[in-house]
Amino acid sequence: MSNGKGRLASDVVADEWVTLPGGELEGRRPKVLCAEHRRQSRLGTGLGERSGALCFECHRAELERERALKAAGELDTASEARFQSQLPFEPLNHARLDMLKAARALAVSDASKGPGQYADKRRQAQIEARHALQAISAGLRARQLAPAVQARAMAFAAHAAELQLPDAWLPFVMSR
């Protein structure tokens, strides 16, 4: 009987076992190798290849792998114990927090001096202009006019905005 890969089922079973050192016992082929056999396998010396004998370190590495897989399968990621292991949190550094708040307040006050004092007002005006165009659009939809009439009325509103607003504002107020 074939296993779908062109090999007989008896070949797979025969490849599953390897000889332990001494030649008297056999064990299941490990899915991981010890550090020495991995190194030798990379160098191509043959000791780390699948046909080599199973050493005790390879056996231990396989047991650790199986133990870790079993523990991962039994881990309840939503358990209260998992979240409690991260507690307690570090205490809050109030002195650093106060220093950061003061630095932020100073930066905000510096930004609101000179030309920066108009930046927030400009931003608010751009938002209000955008909301006005959105209100016009909503009013046109509410009237249930023909799509061509709605598009023409919206084009007139956009043209009026272009005439009244600086060119630098247009990308913030409406998309083309």
Side-chain angles (χ1 to χ4, degrees), residues 1-175:
M1 176 187 317
S2 175
N3 67 358
K5 296 182 183 177
R7 297 174 70 184
L8 297 177
S10 61
D11 291 341
V12 174
V13 172
D15 284 348
E16 196 171 312
W17 295 88
V18 293
T19 306
L20 294 171
E24 296 176 3
L25 300 174
E26 290 185 342
R28 289 194 177 270
R29 180 177 306 283
K31 293 188 177 20
V32 293
L33 297 175
C34 67
E36 179 66 21
H37 280 129
R38 279 194 311 266
R39 185 183 65 77
Q40 291 175 354
S41 178
R42 276 193 306 261
L43 296 175
T45 59
L47 292 176
E49 293 176 359
R50 292 290 184 189
S51 61
L54 179 67
C55 74
F56 182 71
E57 291 301 318
C58 289
H59 176 69
R60 294 288 299 178
E62 179 67 18
L63 289 178
E64 284 299 316
R65 177 184 173 276
E66 289 175 8
R67 211 174 281 135
L69 282 173
K70 184 179 178 188
E74 294 173 353
L75 177 66
D76 183 11
T77 57
S79 69
E80 187 175 324
R82 179 165 184 254
F83 291 107
Q84 291 295 326
S85 67
Q86 297 175 353
L87 296 176
F89 296 115
E90 292 181 16
L92 184 61
N93 187 345
H94 289 285
R96 184 169 186 273
L97 180 61
D98 292 339
M99 181 188 69
L100 291 172
K101 284 181 181 179
R104 173 71 178 146
L106 182 62
V108 168
S109 68
D110 286 347
S112 65
K113 294 178 183 167
Q117 65 184 339
Y118 303 109
D120 193 44
K121 292 178 184 177
R122 181 181 66 236
R123 193 175 312 111
Q124 291 300 320
Q126 290 169 346
I127 291 170
E128 288 177 22
R130 186 178 334 122
H131 287 172
L133 285 173
Q134 288 171 344
I136 291 170
S137 177
L140 290 172
R141 281 193 304 270
R143 291 186 184 164
Q144 297 179 349
L145 300 172
V149 175
Q150 283 184 14
R152 187 164 187 231
M154 200 62 207
F156 283 136
H159 181 67
E162 289 174 350
L163 293 176
Q164 295 176 12
L165 299 175
D167 288 339
W169 283 29
L170 294 178
F172 300 101
V173 174
M174 60 189 191
S175 62

